[in-house]
Amino acid sequence: MVAADRVAATVLQGVHGRRRSGQGDAFWQYRPFLPGDSATRIDWRQSARSDRLFIRETEWEAAQTVALWSDASRSMEWTSGPGRPSKRERADLLLAALASLVLRGGERVRLIGGGGRSHAGRAGLNSVVETVSTVVKSRSLPPTDPGLPRHARCVLIGDFLAPLEEIHAAVAALAARPVRGHILQVLDPEEETLGESNRHYSGRVLFEWAGDASVLVPRVETVRGLYAERLRQHRAGLAAIAAAAGWTFLTHRTDQPPAQALLALWQALAPD
């Protein structure tokens, strides 16, 4: 939770993606009166201090639910080195940091597959972190959430290496509510390049998955180009799935600063 707040504070020092004028009570700024503005919006007290007319703008109030989900399947436990966070550690950190930002903005947070509760305020962040921390091995795609409010926003974080048909079905089920969302794919850098700069990924290598599947590659160097092309095609498929649902698709690597991905998500959640 401390790490999530630290990352969230870093983003808050930069561009505040959700701030804009709109319906609300909180004062945001004064701006000059422009042709087309209604005279009823003029702030006469502020205008009296100058030779110009000014409009008093209030800040847009966020009053919606943001549904979050992070992949807790076994593939997310992998990391290419002891000094690098696992994909799940990074995904959970980003989820908690995004929840911190959303709750600070006065919105509600709901965890998909987290018991159907909505969280609010500082106490809500405690509940979010506790729930995420206790999730054990689960499916690699978000479950259905019949209680998800219509027109909520949704953020899905995972490696999304499942078959595209399954990913499409999961996203389509959420988009049909309707829910607008964002997909963030988190990968280890060695997964992107098949260990191009790692001497352990050269020559004859045995790849194993969860102890029940394996493949022996005689020379990894000979398949690296094909691997990169397959990953590119898979990502293009993810982007197409997101676009068809009116969603956005982002990528992140565990060797990159978490604030970089958090800022991208925060700006993606900004109101239109």
Side-chain angles (χ1 to χ4, degrees):
M1 182 170 172
V2 172
D5 269 340
R6 185 180 299 118
V7 177
T10 301
V11 169
L12 284 177
Q13 292 172 3
V15 177
H16 196 302
R18 300 187 65 75
R19 197 167 185 212
R20 55 167 284 186
S21 65
Q23 296 293 323
D25 297 323
F27 170 74
W28 182 29
Q29 66 177 6
Y30 291 111
R31 68 165 176 81
F33 178 84
L34 299 174
D37 287 333
S38 171
T40 59
R41 299 184 60 199
I42 297 174
D43 188 293
W44 295 106
R45 179 174 297 180
Q46 180 67 21
S47 300
R49 300 173 182 174
S50 173
D51 57 355
R52 304 175 64 186
L53 296 178
F54 287 92
I55 296 290
R56 178 187 177 92
E57 290 190 323
T58 55
E59 187 172 357
W60 176 81
E61 287 186 346
Q64 62 181 172
T65 296
V66 178
L68 306 177
W69 175 84
S70 63
D71 186 350
S73 62
R74 293 186 65 173
S75 71
M76 293 292 289
E77 302 294 341
W78 190 78
T79 176
S80 60
R84 183 168 291 151
S86 68
K87 292 183 288 182
R88 179 175 178 181
E89 289 173 334
R90 179 53 58 84
D92 287 352
L93 173 63
L94 289 172
L95 183 147
L98 184 58
S100 176
L101 289 175
V102 169
L103 293 170
R104 291 186 197 192
E107 296 179 275
R108 296 178 295 273
V109 169
R110 180 186 181 94
L111 293 178
I112 298 178
R117 293 178 53 199
S118 291
H119 307 272
R122 182 65 182 179
L125 182 59
N126 290 330
S127 299
V128 168
V129 172
E130 289 175 1
T131 302
V132 170
S133 301
T134 57
V135 173
V136 295
K137 176 188 173 185
S138 67
R139 54 186 291 180
S140 59
L141 292 171
T144 56
D145 188 352
L148 189 63
R150 289 171 57 85
H151 303 293
R153 301 297 288 272
C154 179
V155 176
L156 310 179
I157 307 174
D159 59 17
F160 294 97
L161 295 177
L164 291 175
E165 297 80 10
E166 297 178 13
I167 298 173
H168 178 264
V171 171
L174 288 169
R177 293 204 57 84
V179 171
R180 293 182 59 192
H182 314 277
I183 297 173
L184 176 66
Q185 184 186 47
V186 177
L187 293 182
D188 187 281
E190 302 292 359
E191 285 181 306
E192 282 201 328
T193 65
L194 197 60
E196 186 174 19
S197 60
N198 190 330
R199 63 183 178 84
H200 296 294
Y201 289 82
S202 61
R204 194 166 181 255
V205 177
L206 177 67
F207 293 88
E208 296 181 320
W209 291 267
D212 56 7
S214 64
V215 60
L216 180 64
V217 180
R219 285 186 58 83
V220 174
E221 296 86 348
T222 63
V223 301
R224 189 167 282 130
L226 176 61
Y227 177 90
E229 176 58 21
R230 292 286 179 85
L231 179 59
R232 187 197 67 77
Q233 292 176 2
H234 188 78
R235 278 184 163 168
L238 291 173
I241 290 171
W247 291 23
T248 62
F249 172 65
L250 305 167
T251 62
H252 176 67
R253 295 190 342 186
T254 56
D255 62 338
Q256 296 172 335
Q260 179 177 319
L262 182 61
L263 178 58
L265 288 173
W266 187 234
Q267 292 180 325
L269 284 173
D272 297 331

